[in-house]
Amino acid sequence: MNTDFLQQLGLAPHNPGTFTGMESFSGGEKLESYSPVNGALIGSVTQTTREEYEQVIRASEAAFKVWREVPAPKRGEIVRQYGDLLREYKDPLGRLVSYEMGKSLQEGWGEVQEMIDICDFAVGQSRQLYGLSMHSERPHHRMYEQWHPLGIVGIISAFNFPVAVWSWNSMIALVCGDVCVWKPSEKAPLCGVACQLLFQRILKANNLPEGIITLVNGDYRIGEWMTNDTRVPLISATGSTRMGKIVGQTVAGRMGRTLLELGGNNAIIITPSADINIVLTGALFGAVGTAGQRCTSTRRLIIHESIYEEVKEKLARAYGQLRIGNPLDQHNHVGPLIDTGAVKAYLHAISEIGREGGSMLVEGGVLDGPGFESGCYVKPCVAEARPEMAIVQHETFAPILYLLKYKDLDEAIAIQNGVPQGLSSAIMTNDMREAEKFLSVAGSDCGIANVNIGTSGAEIGGAFGGEKETGGGRESGSDSWKAYMRRQTNTINYSKTVPLAQGIQFDL
Ligand code: UN1
């Protein structure tokens, strides 16, 4: 396979090397990165040692003192330069994402496009870090609020969006005046190194300290150092609900802040008036895109009984057309799962479906033979199930889609909401009353609710995140920037007396 893109990104193509992403690291143990595409060793990174971690935090603290004094629009200018560099490297970086993580090349490029988009967004945001002004109840007083950066933002990201999620956090945090320490997933560490190397070029060219954007590589232990560290006021973590609960509790225990993006169990309600072509494309991309490994992947279809058979039949036919294989070959729709551990979880879920009385409409299974040597390629499958089944309530990070039947919209909404997670949701309808009901206070309880669009593929301009076990965080667009700053209320007295609020008299 042609892996020139590794060289273009500063990661040697043959004889896989070891990378740190940080100039000063000599390195701890090696962490090897194997491609789920063909099982090949891509390269390795060094696990950040405790001493190196201390070095990073000290460099971040020093860099923060410099960076916070740079005017916000000038900080935006640095982010603009990074966005331009990403435009230049969109092709090789997208290929690396596809090769290290296994998503289709289209989706790999799409992820880099999300990075470019968030850079543009952050540049605009850098001139809009607005605070409000209020009318004081006291004469000759002025009251207003302003937003200051928090300091060091710790970013813990997941393998499934190995570059975009970091950029949603870091590019916004940067214009806010924060500095960022990133722990990428240990399943996609080279993506982290590639982004870091590109950003270091921008910092060098602008004579800015290396500590503004840093990288720490390794397993959960590094995450533990970050979550316990009072020098890191905000931890933004993406991953499983299990991980998020630990991070949330640990950081809350030291009164730090968290921004959590955890599991999803996203459903599409398909009503009798739905446009069947929209249904098929939305459901199919939602369920099999990124091989079902997006937080926003469609896991449940809640179908009206009157069209259930029709949707079922057309869906089965559409699944029959899916091409599974090397994700860098644009001919294929579905690539591999991230690793054989994920394949095990997929197989376990399928056996649970049978044990709980569900039945398979489109059979699953692991592919073998030429092209599938990594052992990570599985068949996207569809099962007929019941909403209350334990396996349906659980998020399995794999392309398994459950079909559920409903009679009236209230029941469909109750099914949609009747899971512990609350990230993304959708309704397919041409009936205005149904659409509005779904979006109303009595409708979807998720952070994202769409009409005639699937559950995945959110744009960066909106606030991204969800409720309940999804963690409640919001990142990327809208006013998510506020999560990266501290608010200060200021009252200034320009009178010659000291009138107290609430009418209190305090005369000597
Ligand atoms: C995720 O799965 O963690 O909406 C993020 C989407 C992407 C982001 C998904 N924009 O599918």
Side-chain angles (χ1 to χ4, degrees):
M1 210 184 83
N2 180 350
T3 53
D4 286 352
F5 55 89
L6 293 174
Q7 192 149 43
Q8 288 164 36
L9 293 164
L11 309 167
H14 306 295
N15 181 21
T18 302
F19 305 93
T20 63
M22 297 291 299
E23 265 179 16
S24 46
F25 283 7
S26 54
E29 309 154 43
K30 267 190 197 175
L31 179 71
E32 292 182 325
S33 177
Y34 291 89
S35 169
V37 174
N38 55 9
L41 175 64
I42 311 172
S44 54
V45 298
T46 57
Q47 294 228 35
T48 304
T49 62
R50 181 74 215 196
E51 298 78 78
E52 286 169 349
Y53 174 79
E54 284 301 319
Q55 223 173 291
V56 165
I57 296 294
R58 277 198 300 273
S60 304
E61 284 182 316
F64 177 54
K65 293 204 170 107
V66 176
W67 187 239
R68 69 185 178 187
E69 300 292 344
V70 176
K74 294 268 186 311
R75 299 195 292 248
E77 164 57 17
I78 300 301
V79 169
R80 188 195 64 74
Q81 292 178 27
Y82 190 56
D84 282 352
L85 200 59
L86 289 171
R87 282 177 170 86
E88 215 178 292
Y89 284 86
K90 179 172 170 178
D91 179 62
L93 191 53
R95 284 176 194 276
L96 174 64
V97 169
S98 180
Y99 190 50
E100 191 176 33
M101 182 275 155
K103 63 175 67 175
S104 76
L105 184 53
Q106 280 297 331
E107 294 180 77
W109 284 328
E111 215 189 308
V112 183
Q113 188 56 49
E114 280 196 358
M115 300 177 80
I116 295 167
D117 293 341
I118 201 71
C119 286
D120 287 354
F121 186 95
V123 174
Q125 189 70 69
S126 72
R127 291 182 186 269
Q128 300 174 83
L129 303 172
Y130 301 136
L132 298 171
S133 65
M134 302 87 184
H135 286 263
S136 170
E137 65 190 42
R138 290 168 279 184
H140 300 138
H141 278 57
R142 186 162 73 82
M143 185 157 66
Y144 76 111
E145 66 184 20
Q146 56 175 338
W147 294 84
H148 291 310
L150 289 172
I152 303 176
V153 174
I155 302 166
I156 300 174
S157 63
F159 76 86
N160 64 334
F161 273 79
V163 295
V165 170
W166 164 72
S167 70
W168 299 351
N169 283 280
S170 56
M171 296 306 121
I172 300 288
L174 281 184
V175 299
C176 291
D178 297 310
V179 297
C180 302
V181 180
W182 179 20
K183 185 195 115 39
S185 165
E186 63 267 39
K187 296 177 180 178
L190 291 169
C191 283
V193 171
C195 294
Q196 174 72 15
L197 291 177
L198 290 176
F199 206 93
Q200 290 300 332
R201 277 162 63 171
I202 302 292
L203 291 177
K204 255 199 196 118
N206 290 275
N207 210 12
L208 285 164
E210 189 189 41
I212 290 173
I213 284 279
T214 50
L215 185 74
V216 286
N217 265 312
D219 55 22
Y220 70 96
R221 281 169 294 180
I222 319 273
E224 277 177 7
W225 298 340
M226 291 165 80
T227 50
N228 281 297
D229 196 336
T230 51
R231 295 166 297 181
V232 185
L234 171 66
I235 297 284
S236 176
T238 304
S240 66
T241 296
R242 196 187 61 81
M243 175 279 291
K245 281 184 179 164
I246 298 169
V247 169
Q249 285 172 21
T250 309
V251 178
R254 61 171 173 89
M255 297 296 177
R257 295 190 200 180
T258 48
L259 199 169
L260 300 174
E261 301 287 0
L262 313 174
N265 193 345
N266 318 295
I268 303 179
I269 297 175
I270 302 171
T271 69
S273 70
D275 180 326
I276 193 73
N277 291 325
I278 294 183
V279 167
L280 288 177
T281 312
L284 202 62
F285 179 71
V288 311
T290 323
Q293 299 171 107
R294 290 193 192 208
C295 299
T296 51
S297 289
T298 306
R299 312 218 176 271
R300 301 175 295 149
L301 295 186
I302 306 167
I303 310 166
H304 191 263
E305 57 180 5
S306 66
I307 52 163
Y308 184 84
E309 290 304 322
E310 182 197 350
V311 172
K312 186 175 137 178
E313 192 187 300
K314 291 194 167 147
L315 201 65
R317 220 177 304 145
Y319 265 71
Q321 325 249 296
L322 288 175
R323 283 186 300 270
I324 308 161
N326 185 334
L328 286 141
D329 175 351
Q330 290 193 66
H331 183 75
N332 293 324
H333 302 107
V334 184
L337 289 178
I338 183 69
D339 56 20
T340 49
V343 174
K344 248 186 233 151
Y346 159 88
L347 290 173
H348 173 74
I350 291 177
S351 72
E352 285 297 292
I353 295 167
R355 208 182 54 77
E356 290 194 72
S359 60
M360 298 311 287
L361 170 68
V362 177
E363 292 288 340
V366 183
L367 295 161
D368 53 21
F372 302 126
E373 289 85 355
S374 70
C376 298
Y377 290 84
V378 300
K379 290 189 208 158
C381 61
V382 183
E384 294 184 88
R386 294 181 317 281
E388 66 283 0
M389 280 163 56
I391 194 65
V392 175
Q393 294 278 318
H394 175 81
E395 178 193 43
T396 305
F397 233 44
I400 303 174
L401 181 64
Y402 302 109
L403 304 190
L404 311 168
K405 212 184 269 182
Y406 81 91
K407 279 190 171 59
D408 66 67
L409 188 58
D410 285 336
E411 182 195 0
I413 292 172
I415 295 172
Q416 136 67 36
N417 292 345
V419 291
Q421 311 83 353
L423 179 53
S424 187
S425 59
I427 190 169
M428 299 290 184
T429 181
N430 280 320
D431 181 326
M432 184 263 264
R433 288 189 182 133
E434 286 182 336
E436 292 291 335
K437 172 100 188 240
F438 179 72
L439 302 177
S440 78
V441 64
S444 165
D445 64 0
C446 291
I448 297 170
N450 296 330
V451 177
N452 293 333
I453 295 176
T455 57
S456 68
E459 295 181 30
I460 57 93
F464 182 87
E467 305 299 335
K468 304 193 293 190
E469 282 198 356
T470 303
R474 291 296 185 278
E475 58 196 9
S476 82
S478 186
D479 63 352
S480 305
W481 62 272
K482 289 180 176 168
Y484 304 88
M485 304 198 84
R486 61 186 170 88
R487 183 197 314 240
Q488 187 174 66
T489 304
N490 307 112
T491 311
I492 300 157
N493 174 10
Y494 61 96
S495 76
K496 289 185 173 158
T497 59
V498 188
L500 299 175
Q502 299 98 39
I504 293 172
Q505 299 296 326
F506 187 76
D507 295 324
L508 291 178

